[in-house]
Amino acid sequence: VDKGLLGNVKFYTDDVAKKGYFVVIRLHLYDIHYQRSPIAGTVVSQKYSKGKFLNAVVDAEKLKATFENEKNEMLISGIIDGKRVKTKVIQVAGFAARRIESYVKENQKLEKGEHLGVINLGSQVVLVVPEVDLKIVEGDRVSGGETIIGVV
């Protein structure tokens, strides 16, 4: 990550864990753009931010779109194996995706895999997760509701 972006990454991860992963999933125009809850838990907070509409697929490698584009952040807290775990899902709009829809509200209880929302057309989803056993590597193609990103 570009050193100038490290402060942004820290800002987006502080409320999840001291150590963890920042997973960027690029969604092309032909991909399915629904997001699902990575864990069972409760929506602690949700924050929508207006922003630019940079190409969220091409600029994903530089993380420029991640920090500058319109986005919706959902912080989810749950209990896994007796431990409190927090994750964050960030829906990022792209140049073609100018509409983010969230299906959840603060304090709403969620099941693992439950639909959180949709981003219309090409876009990006960022998962901020604590240290887990990652089951993916850079370049993997993931499928919503099927691919396991990591295990606590």
Side-chain angles (χ1 to χ4, degrees), residues 32-72:
I32 297 171
H33 296 89
Y34 286 94
Q35 293 75 54
R36 294 175 180 261
S37 182
I39 63 171
T42 303
V43 179
V44 175
S45 64
Q46 184 165 215
K47 180 183 169 194
Y48 175 82
S49 305
K50 289 187 176 191
K52 297 179 182 178
F53 293 101
L54 302 172
N55 187 323
V57 174
V58 173
D59 291 331
E61 288 147 20
K62 299 177 194 145
L63 297 180
K64 188 171 178 69
T66 305
F67 301 120
E68 294 184 17
N69 280 14
E70 184 167 306
K71 69 184 73 48
N72 185 54

Side-chain angles (χ1 to χ4, degrees), residues 20-38:
Y21 298 99
F22 194 82
V23 179
V24 178
I25 301 169
R26 299 181 291 175
L27 302 167
H28 295 274
L29 291 172
Y30 51 82
D31 288 327
I32 297 171
H33 296 89
Y34 286 94
Q35 293 75 54
R36 294 175 180 261
S37 182

Side-chain angles (χ1 to χ4, degrees), residues 66-109:
T66 305
F67 301 120
E68 294 184 17
N69 280 14
E70 184 167 306
K71 69 184 73 48
N72 185 54
E73 301 172 46
M74 294 170 258
L75 182 63
I76 303 165
S77 179
I79 306 283
I80 298 176
D81 294 333
K83 296 168 100 176
R84 170 77 45 202
V85 176
K86 291 182 185 176
T87 65
K88 186 182 285 187
V89 177
I90 306 172
Q91 300 169 296
V92 181
F95 74 97
R98 300 202 173 223
R99 189 162 165 229
I100 296 172
E101 294 180 54
S102 173
Y103 301 158
V104 300
K105 300 200 180 318
E106 285 186 19
N107 300 315
Q108 181 176 335
K109 300 237 182 284

